[in-house]
Amino acid sequence: MKGATLKAVWPPATVLVASAVAVEALVRVGGVPAWLLPTPWAVTQAVWTQWDQLGPALGRTVLATLMGFFASGLVGVAVAVALSSSRWVQRAFYPYAIFFQTVPIVAIAPLLVIWFGYGLRTVAVASFIVAVFPVVANTLNGLLSVDPALRDLFRLYQASRWDALWKLHLPAALPQVFTGLRIAGGLAVIGAIVAEFFVASGGLGVVMQAAMRQNRTEVVFAAIALASAVGLSLLWAVNAAAHLALRHWSASEQGG
């Protein structure tokens, strides 16, 4: 298991280190101004020296992101189950689910401030709005893609709709559910950061804005790196949960 983990980690780690070294050399040799493109070393130093500012901001962004992410998972699966209950329900309400994917979060962020006020709650709601649609779409696709032979078998044994949902449809849809959650993890971070541009929540988005006004590009890059780390951590957590849940029967998780 340890060897498999190392085999999975070292290729991206190698690319990351090589890219950092290349950028460091390019910036130093090319004489690129620090305000335009700071070196990776300067960004690393900014994380260390500005941690008293970045640390609390990271905590606020993580909290809002997790709230939006878990809400999108719970609500997204529930909405997908409701939509899969009948073709009429799906045709009537699915277009409104698409609304959450098509509306720009920047456009409705001021409305969220009016409705929910300034603070963590508004950021979490924005994170939820951005992240919920992939969960709905992928879960619904999984629920509607159950093997017809298995569906007929459940009907043959006169299984109730509740039994069919819990013992057939949801288990069969789990790979698609996790696919939706993987996408939602990254989008939840994006929604939180964008909302923080409008809300004085003390998150990483606020730090980015303040650093941009002061031309402290290395702090902006440091905040971006921390936000990316949040998204990658969520992706890793979803991948680990998917592996634990599906490794015994899903071909996509076997051998992982």
Side-chain angles (χ1 to χ4, degrees):
M1 187 68 179
K2 185 177 180 181
T5 303
L6 289 176
K7 287 179 65 176
V9 168
W10 79 260
T14 302
V15 172
L16 177 63
V17 172
S19 301
V21 171
V23 172
E24 186 85 22
L26 179 64
V27 172
R28 291 183 182 275
V29 174
V32 179
W35 60 266
L36 184 62
L37 180 62
T39 64
W41 176 245
V43 174
T44 304
Q45 283 184 312
V47 174
W48 177 259
T49 59
Q50 302 298 318
W51 185 251
D52 58 338
Q53 179 184 16
L54 289 170
L58 175 62
R60 298 284 291 182
T61 299
V62 168
L63 180 57
T65 298
L66 290 178
M67 291 170 63
F69 173 74
F70 284 112
S72 68
L74 294 174
V75 174
V77 172
V79 169
V81 170
L83 291 175
S84 68
S85 62
S86 75
R87 290 292 182 183
W88 185 91
V89 172
Q90 185 179 340
R91 288 194 298 267
F93 292 100
Y94 189 68
Y96 297 100
I98 298 176
F99 169 81
F100 287 96
Q101 178 70 9
T102 58
V103 64
I105 191 63
V106 175
I108 65 171
L111 290 177
L112 296 181
V113 173
I114 294 173
W115 293 335
F116 299 101
Y118 290 92
L120 180 66
R121 181 170 56 179
T122 300
V123 179
V125 171
S127 177
F128 161 78
I129 290 175
V130 173
V132 69
F133 180 76
V135 182
V136 174
N138 283 277
T139 303
L140 180 61
N141 181 64
L143 292 171
L144 298 179
S145 301
V146 176
D147 188 343
L150 293 176
R151 195 181 300 131
D152 292 340
L153 181 64
F154 270 67
R155 289 200 191 102
L156 179 64
Y157 283 95
Q158 297 181 340
S160 66
R161 176 172 292 187
W162 185 257
D163 286 336
L165 174 65
W166 282 102
K167 298 179 180 179
L168 175 61
H169 292 275
L170 278 178
L174 274 181
Q176 286 84 354
V177 172
F178 282 113
T179 298
L181 290 175
R182 289 183 180 99
I183 301 171
L187 292 178
V189 179
I190 294 173
I193 295 295
V194 171
E196 287 171 350
F197 290 154
F198 295 87
V199 180
S201 65
L204 290 174
V206 177
V207 174
M208 291 180 195
Q209 281 189 321
M212 283 189 297
R213 296 191 189 100
Q214 300 168 1
N215 284 331
R216 301 177 65 187
T217 314
E218 73 281 359
V219 178
V220 176
F221 272 81
I224 293 173
L226 291 174
S228 299
V230 176
L232 289 173
S233 298
L234 271 178
L235 177 61
W236 177 86
V238 173
N239 284 340
H243 179 68
L244 290 175
L246 307 176
R247 60 180 173 176
H248 294 301
W249 60 274
S250 176
S252 63
E253 296 298 331
Q254 290 174 357

